[in-house]
Amino acid sequence: MNDVILTDRKTDFRQGARDGVPIALGYFAVSFTFGMAASRDGIGAFWSALTSLLCLSSAGQFAGLEVIVAGGSFLELALTQLVINLRYLLMSFSLSAKLSSGISTAPRLLMAHGVTDEIFAISVCRRHLTPWYTWGAMAVAVPGWTGGALVGGILGEILPGFLLSAFGIAIYGMFLAIILPPAGEDRAILAVVLAAMALRAILSWTPVLKNISSGFAIIIVTVLVAGIAALLHPHAEEPS
Amino acid sequence: MSTVHLAAYILVMAGTTYLIRLLPLALFRREITSPFIRSFLFYIPYACLAAMTFPAILSSADTHAGSVAGFLTAVVLAVRKKSLLTVALAACAAVFIVERLITLL
């Protein structure tokens, strides 16, 4: 009986690790730009790698970097993380509902760190989800995410300025590649994207309003736009 | 910024993010059913990434022209559903080319 369980765990872990490889490659690229952006802002490679290892969130880390560089308060930093990463709450709820209730708290604690858009997506598709599968994916994806920040941070310190100038746009390119394709197919998403950009532009270009710090501006725009969209146009689909 | 201050910033970020991921897995064992809350959470990534991208992208490179060229390149390729890496690298290349051209002129 124990042998069967052990084999299952091994198979699950291996399958997770295999599915984690393409995720790790994508993570490396995104995290690389994070390490580079951070080094441009005077934060060393070690610190951006540590941030990546502990936070494991792309939009959250980039927004956090802005707050840190602007010298924002701890409260502002925590609030930006709360709002931007709130989607993980829903993902964590779905994963919890998928896990057998017999799985105790300790494995859940270890699994929780791996709740990212991508690892959630492959985990939630499993017919029978065990923590071992998610851990397998984390074992590959987390080093990819951390290593990307480390390499990006080191290169950011040695590459010439004109190359860094070109790399600064990479993360925004990726954000656009995430939000524009679904916006092309769903008018509600398109409206959300355009409204958020317009409102954020108003907040950064209008006198007085432009004094609102970047972290709070992102919170205000996100909560307002997503809240109004949810009221006007409830979405039936699973969040991705 | 002192090392201690930076470390504290990182711990605040990591702690908040971990708690968000942890609480449902550790404490709740059923799904959210409210359509409003589900929709709100569904729209959050789009609203947040859009707000983080624009207008910040317009000042992401050293020159305004480079940023605008990169922005337009990224929009065109993203709308055509190119992969994340393709869109990002093409935007970088556009900035690079435009900024090299400017220095030549």
Side-chain angles (χ1 to χ4, degrees), chain A residues 34-203:
Chain A
F34 173 77
M36 226 165 215
S39 93
R40 234 183 156 188
D41 290 330
I43 292 171
F46 167 78
W47 295 103
S48 26
L50 184 68
T51 307
S52 290
L53 175 68
L54 295 179
C55 296
L56 208 67
S57 69
S58 62
Q61 285 181 214
F62 277 95
L65 183 63
E66 282 187 43
V67 175
I68 291 173
V69 170
S73 66
F74 290 130
L75 178 68
E76 182 184 356
L77 185 62
L79 282 176
T80 50
Q81 300 305 301
L82 177 66
V83 171
I84 290 167
N85 292 333
L86 204 55
R87 65 187 189 283
Y88 297 144
L89 195 74
L90 182 70
M91 294 176 190
S92 179
F93 269 114
S94 319
L95 286 185
S96 193
K98 262 208 99 140
L99 281 182
S100 147
S101 53
I103 291 169
S104 63
T105 305
R108 289 167 183 262
L109 293 185
L110 202 52
M111 215 178 141
H113 184 55
V115 180
T116 66
D117 298 347
E118 295 77 12
I119 298 175
F120 165 76
I122 59 167
S123 296
V124 84
C125 293
R126 299 286 288 176
R127 240 155 50 106
H128 300 288
L129 176 65
T130 67
W132 291 90
Y133 177 78
T134 306
W135 293 337
M138 288 169 71
V140 178
V142 174
W145 184 249
T146 309
L150 189 66
V151 175
I154 292 170
L155 284 184
E157 283 162 26
I158 55 180
L159 285 183
F162 67 89
L163 271 181
L164 291 184
S165 169
F167 272 116
I169 205 166
I171 186 63
Y172 301 113
M174 288 189 206
F175 286 166
L176 288 172
I178 294 171
I179 59 180
L180 291 186
E185 284 167 8
D186 184 324
R187 302 188 87 159
I189 296 177
L190 180 64
V192 164
V193 166
L194 294 178
M197 287 182 170
L199 192 55
R200 183 70 187 87
I202 291 172
L203 288 183

Side-chain angles (χ1 to χ4, degrees), chain A residues 222-235:
Chain A
T222 305
V223 171
L224 265 184
V225 173
I228 292 171
L231 278 177
L232 294 182
H233 200 279
H235 211 277

